[in-house]
Amino acid sequence: MSGKSEIIVDTRYGKLNGTTENGLYVFKGIPYASPTTGEKRWLPPQPPVPWSGIRDATDYGTIAPQPESRLGMISEFEVPEPQSEDCLFLNIWTPGLDNSRRPVMFWIHGGAFSMGSGSQPMYRGGELAKAGNIVLVTINYRLGVLGFLNLNEVTGGKIPATGNEGLLDQIQALKWVKENIAAFGGDSENITVFGESAGGMSIGCLLAMPAAKGLFKKAIIESTVGDMAVSLESAVKTARVFLDIIGISPDNVKGLRSLKVEKLLQAQQELAVKTGGMAPVIPVVDGKVLPDFPLKVLRKGFAREIPVIVGNNLDEQKLFWAVLPDFPKVDESGLKKRVAKLAPANFVDTIIETYRAARAKRGESTEPVEILSAILTDITFRFKAIAIAEAQCKNGQAAYNYLFTWKSPAMGGKLGACHALEIGFLFGNRDDMFCGSGPEADELSAKMRDAWVAFARTGNPSSKLLGVWPAYCEKRETMILDRTCHVEVAPYEEERKIWKIIGEDNIRGSLP
């Protein structure tokens, strides 16, 4: 295949006209649900309305309404895309429209539940599908206050939004894929969900949601954050603050549903300032759609049949500092003040000295800012990944852990192995400014794709290019992804142990 040519596929909802690109069949902007606009705003998604004739699927659909990304300064892949409240579309890259029953990899994008799309340039091109002979699916889902604002309680049920409508969009997309992917050469009984940051958090929630049961067989969780959800009590408080900002009574359902999107986004930005976080709204433990905090549900064995890969990047925190006017300047006094907000006062000095000694032993910087970055990365990202692996292992399921340590060349190397850096390597769309280039980068990219695809195919990420990847369970064996990929037993163990002594209930970590 070369160039572009029309190609027709018949789905349960109608015929689609796609194209061929880069040796793949490509279908873009496929509606997997009916528009959630007007009176359907804040309601669960419904299946798409069937169409007659042939629907064009050669252009990406509009993406969820969202504020402008602040990451354009470090990545050429951050480009604006047309937005609309009518945004529930997915995209498919496949090597063949046949009966080969290829593994399906279903990508859920990140972006603090308020930014991003399934059609961002970093995910385009289908390199992962081509290299691994799999079917790749990427999706949009409702973001921000349109997808994750709980309104049920404050409106007395007049708007029955649980705050999990964005997750329900993901489930509806999975249902569409399960129903239709055979027509695109995929195996509906071998679907792997994978995602990063808010996408990883989403997968943690999907693993704990009864409505998602049976829709996928494997899960890859990259850089999940915190508890992956908030309590109903917290979500209700957030909803009240939001209604105060927009100045509309909770009884005024018509007014809420007729608010212009621009007004909602403006209020969402103000909400982020008032709540002091990058993600003003995230999934909600409402007791029904999401019965409990995902980690609690996983520890009880709810997803014991699902093998997982879960991991994070070594310097996650540094990406969030990159959007500030300047990297934080932290001295020893400032370090102690920051750590005192995260842990009991009697542990502050012990924590800092544990990190300093462990880093010195490894030949790493012991500057206060580097110690703070490591602490924030650990309690916000790494320990949650480890906890998920431990939960699956305890319930008899293989869980594979990784630590991505390749350093970004951006900003003179200040970013380190920061949040989101691994995505370009995985999808084969590396931004040289952010990810780096050269033979070693090419090799790492190929090894990661090989392992992710092997896992999607068999449930085990051991592969020809990467080699044997043992499960985390018994020895805390972790795959280090860098210029030289290798397995380490219990890496960064001193840091993990000190927080284990403190106890997770005493850690006051939050979203970055």
Side-chain angles (χ1 to χ4, degrees), residues 173 278 294 316 431:
M278 285 187 63
E316 302 269 11
D431 172 349

Side-chain angles (χ1 to χ4, degrees), residues 145-160:
V145 295
L146 289 168
F148 297 95
L149 182 67
N150 179 288
L151 290 169
N152 183 59
E153 275 65 31
V154 294
T155 65
K158 293 178 181 178
I159 298 180

Side-chain angles (χ1 to χ4, degrees), residues 319-331:
L319 182 73
F320 307 103
W321 286 343
V323 300
L324 301 176
D326 195 6
F327 258 52
K329 293 179 172 60
V330 181
D331 58 16

Side-chain angles (χ1 to χ4, degrees), residues 216-466:
F216 57 92
K217 295 293 186 183
K218 309 174 190 76
I220 303 174
I221 303 173
E222 303 174 25
S223 301
T224 188
V225 183
D227 291 325
M228 296 174 274
V230 296
S231 68
L232 181 58
E233 179 184 11
S234 176
V236 170
K237 289 179 180 178
T238 297
R240 291 194 177 114
V241 173
F242 180 78
L243 291 178
D244 286 343
I245 291 171
I246 59 176
I248 292 183
S249 165
D251 295 327
N252 188 357
V253 173
K254 184 177 180 181
L256 285 168
R257 287 213 165 105
S258 61
L259 272 173
K260 291 187 178 297
V261 169
E262 294 77 13
K263 176 71 173 177
L264 289 171
L265 287 180
Q266 182 181 355
Q268 179 179 308
Q269 292 290 80
E270 189 172 340
L271 180 66
V273 173
K274 286 182 177 292
T275 56
M278 285 187 63
V281 286
I282 67 173
V284 180
V285 178
D286 67 314
K288 296 178 182 177
V289 176
L290 186 57
D292 206 340
F293 287 97
L295 193 52
K296 289 184 179 180
V297 178
L298 293 179
R299 283 171 172 163
K300 293 177 182 177
F302 185 76
R304 60 166 52 92
E305 75 281 7
I306 307 291
V308 301
I309 293 175
V310 59
N312 68 284
N313 299 353
L314 183 62
D315 304 303
E316 302 269 11
Q317 175 63 31
K318 292 182 178 180
L319 182 73
F320 307 103
W321 286 343
V323 300
L324 301 176
D326 195 6
F327 258 52
K329 293 179 172 60
V330 181
D331 58 16
E332 195 69 19
S333 175
L335 174 60
K336 290 184 178 182
K337 288 179 181 178
R338 291 292 299 271
V339 176
K341 295 179 180 180
L342 306 171
N346 58 312
F347 277 102
V348 170
D349 289 340
T350 303
I351 292 168
I352 293 172
E353 290 312 311
T354 297
Y355 273 76
R356 179 168 283 119
R359 294 179 66 83
K361 188 189 302 182
R362 294 190 296 265
E364 299 169 349
S365 172
T366 58
E367 290 296 314
V369 69
E370 293 292 340
I371 292 175
L372 179 60
S373 171
I375 289 173
L376 291 173
T377 293
D378 280 350
I379 66 173
T380 307
F381 296 92
R382 180 170 166 251
F383 296 151
K384 295 301 178 182
I386 288 174
I388 291 171
E390 289 175 336
Q392 291 301 87
C393 291
K394 180 182 177 182
N395 286 291
Q397 182 55 258
Y400 302 89
N401 183 236
Y402 73 85
L403 192 59
F404 182 90
T405 60
W406 173 282
K407 305 293 192 294
S408 170
M411 300 181 69
K414 284 185 177 181
L415 294 179
C418 69
H419 191 65
L421 184 60
E422 88 286 359
I423 299 174
F425 289 84
L426 180 58
F427 279 87
N429 289 329
R430 292 198 315 278
D431 172 349
D432 290 350
M433 178 174 68
F434 183 48
C435 298
S437 59
E440 290 178 318
D442 293 341
E443 183 179 352
L444 175 57
S445 184
K447 286 179 177 179
M448 287 182 63
R449 287 199 302 271
D450 203 39
W452 263 238
V453 167
F455 180 79
R457 198 173 299 280
T458 69
N460 187 322
S462 298
S463 65
K464 180 179 179 180
L465 295 182
L466 186 65

